[in-house]
Amino acid sequence: MTTRAWTQTWAVTRVLRDRNAGLYLGGVVVSGFGSSAMWLVSGIWVKDLTGSDGLAALCVFALWAPTLIGPALGTLADRTRRRPLLVWTNLGLAALLLPLFMVDSPGTLWILFAVLLVYGAAGVVHDAAESALVATAVDKQLLGDFNGLRMTANEGMKLLAPLAGAGLYAAYGGARVALLDAVTFALAAGLYTLLRVHEPKPLTAPAGWRAQTAEGARYLWGHPTLRPLVLAGGTTMLFSGLNGALIYAVAEGLGHSPAYVGVLYVAQGVGSVAVGLAAGPLLRRLGERRFAGYGIALTAVAVTARALPYDAVVLASAAAVGVGLPCVLIAALTAVQRETPDALLGRTTATANTLLFAPTAVGLALGAGLVELVDHRALLAVLGLVRLVTVVPLLRTQPSRASASVTSDKSSSDANPA
């Protein structure tokens, strides 16, 4: 075994031996399985009941929409203890899914859309509370490794759960998939109750909800390390949305049916699983800025190569995108957890998530319009070159010696909605 492979294995083992980190990852795997299955099946369910592609697409919109008010929702994670909030959010989501047993006709679809909208909002609160609690419950030296493994767990579930969800839907219908998702949330809540973490009661802030929300945004925008990482991540996800809108044109250009897109997403997922395992050691070696910058550069080259009309190149490109795309997300999240005071961490994380992921929806909309007007190969070449430009601030502006020391000591699918 090489030195690099040994270091990577050692880092993974350290995370898994940490009791809180192991429980967290267990919760991510369990709830992520149900969520990935439900997110896919909701669109299929609407399509079967209505025959409308537009209404099926609204399922994705309902899940994404609450991200736009993420900073306000994330403030809740700073106003209460986070472990109980995680437990009750998971139990609430489990109960929320049960009314879906009444969805059996186009006239009852409003129930599904209402559930998905609340589901998305609860997910924003859950992510903010989880990220904030991880920063205190998990050893600071393991944060980068933990976030990488969390990415691996999420991507692994995206590879397995949609197939299981589609099979369960075909055999028993959408309500049974909702029940599966509810059970996974209940199991995740049980795992979170086992966490050992001391949380003092948050101090009552004299400012109102709006002022507290703005405080997190001001902190993020004014921080010299966090701002460039989050902006680079948001730009990357904007381009990811644009690329995602072109993927069906890529499949058609290769002479394949739309189903071939599933093969490309599997290749991308494999790449994301791989980089998640290596993220901790790479963060320690490179620091957040260079790790993010190299990932963006790799993604830019891969997107440009996707314009070539060869199956092997496009498959390799999908895997390379899977490797490169998560780098800036892992780097930004780890930096937010490390650099933000605990009292601000919930709302700052939610603000960062909004800036990182909301541009994906904008990119999808822009890409859907552009692909009808411009040849997809020309678009891919331009997007790849423009994406390279966004790397410059990350690689040119290096952290200070003190910042680099902190990183060393403490650190650790294109627009696929599932």
Side-chain angles (χ1 to χ4, degrees):
M1 181 179 293
T2 65
T3 302
R4 181 174 296 180
W6 182 89
T7 302
Q8 181 176 324
T9 303
W10 171 79
V12 171
T13 303
R14 285 189 66 198
V15 173
L16 296 179
R17 284 180 177 175
D18 184 281
R19 186 178 186 276
N20 284 334
L23 287 170
Y24 264 119
L25 289 173
V28 168
V29 169
V30 170
S31 64
F33 183 89
S35 294
S36 295
M38 189 65 216
W39 284 33
L40 171 70
V41 164
S42 61
I44 300 174
W45 199 352
V46 171
K47 173 70 174 177
D48 282 347
L49 288 176
T50 66
S52 170
D53 291 328
L55 286 175
L58 279 180
C59 293
V60 178
F61 175 78
L63 290 163
W64 275 101
T67 308
L68 299 175
I69 57 170
L73 293 173
T75 301
L76 181 61
D78 291 332
R79 295 171 69 98
T80 185
R81 290 188 177 95
R82 287 141 184 174
R83 186 174 70 94
L85 179 60
L86 277 178
V87 172
W88 286 108
T89 299
N90 278 274
L91 292 177
L93 283 166
L96 173 72
L97 290 162
L98 299 182
L100 294 184
F101 275 85
M102 296 186 289
V103 177
D104 56 6
S105 66
T108 57
L109 277 180
W110 67 270
I111 300 174
L112 175 59
F113 286 115
V115 166
L116 292 177
L117 192 63
V118 179
Y119 192 116
V124 173
V125 175
H126 183 282
D127 287 348
E130 182 184 75
S131 181
L133 190 56
V134 161
T136 57
V138 175
D139 188 338
K140 292 288 186 183
Q141 295 182 3
L142 300 179
L143 280 177
D145 301 281
F146 174 86
N147 289 324
L149 286 177
R150 189 182 189 281
M151 177 69 69
T152 294
N154 275 329
E155 294 301 324
M157 290 305 98
K158 290 177 188 178
L159 294 176
L160 300 176
L163 294 176
L168 186 60
Y169 175 82
Y172 300 105
R176 295 300 189 278
V177 180
L179 180 61
L180 168 66
D181 198 11
V183 170
T184 62
F185 278 124
L187 291 174
L191 290 172
Y192 290 136
T193 61
L194 299 176
L195 291 170
R196 295 174 181 170
V197 57
H198 173 68
E199 286 189 280
K201 185 177 180 179
L203 297 176
T204 302
W209 196 289
R210 181 182 299 180
Q212 285 185 279
T213 301
E215 189 178 2
R218 282 196 301 270
Y219 178 83
L220 180 65
W221 190 254
H223 199 287
T225 298
L226 302 183
R227 184 177 64 248
L229 280 170
V230 171
L231 287 178
T235 305
T236 297
M237 295 308 291
L238 172 67
F239 288 132
S240 173
L242 286 163
N243 297 334
L246 305 179
I247 195 166
Y248 288 98
V250 171
E252 183 180 0
L254 293 172
H256 296 294
S257 71
Y260 185 74
V261 170
V263 178
L264 298 180
Y265 277 139
V266 168
Q268 181 175 326
V270 171
S272 296
V273 168
V275 77
L277 292 172
L282 288 174
L283 274 171
R284 277 190 291 274
R285 183 180 181 86
L286 301 174
E288 284 98 344
R289 282 196 174 113
R290 284 195 295 166
F291 179 62
Y294 292 162
I296 294 172
L298 175 61
T299 306
V301 173
V303 167
T304 304
R306 185 175 283 181
L308 298 175
Y310 304 107
D311 280 34
V313 173
V314 171
L315 280 171
S317 166
V321 167
V323 172
L325 187 61
C327 292
V328 67
L329 303 178
I330 295 172
L333 177 59
T334 302
V336 167
Q337 289 172 324
R338 183 181 301 115
E339 301 287 344
T340 306
D342 180 70
L344 290 173
L345 195 46
R347 65 200 106 154
T348 304
T349 297
T351 301
N353 284 340
T354 295
L355 294 174
L356 287 170
F357 297 112
T360 306
V362 177
L364 283 166
L366 289 174
L370 286 172
V371 75
E372 299 294 334
L373 303 174
V374 184
D375 184 271
H376 73 277
R377 289 166 295 186
L379 282 174
L380 287 168
V382 171
L383 289 174
L385 291 174
V386 173
R387 191 177 277 194
L388 279 175
V389 176
T390 66
V391 180
V392 175
L394 292 177
L395 300 184
R396 183 179 58 190
T397 308
Q398 295 297 325
S400 66
R401 183 180 299 272
S403 176
S405 176
V406 169
T407 299
S408 176
D409 291 342
K410 293 187 176 182
S411 71
S412 32
S413 326
D414 283 349
N416 182 3

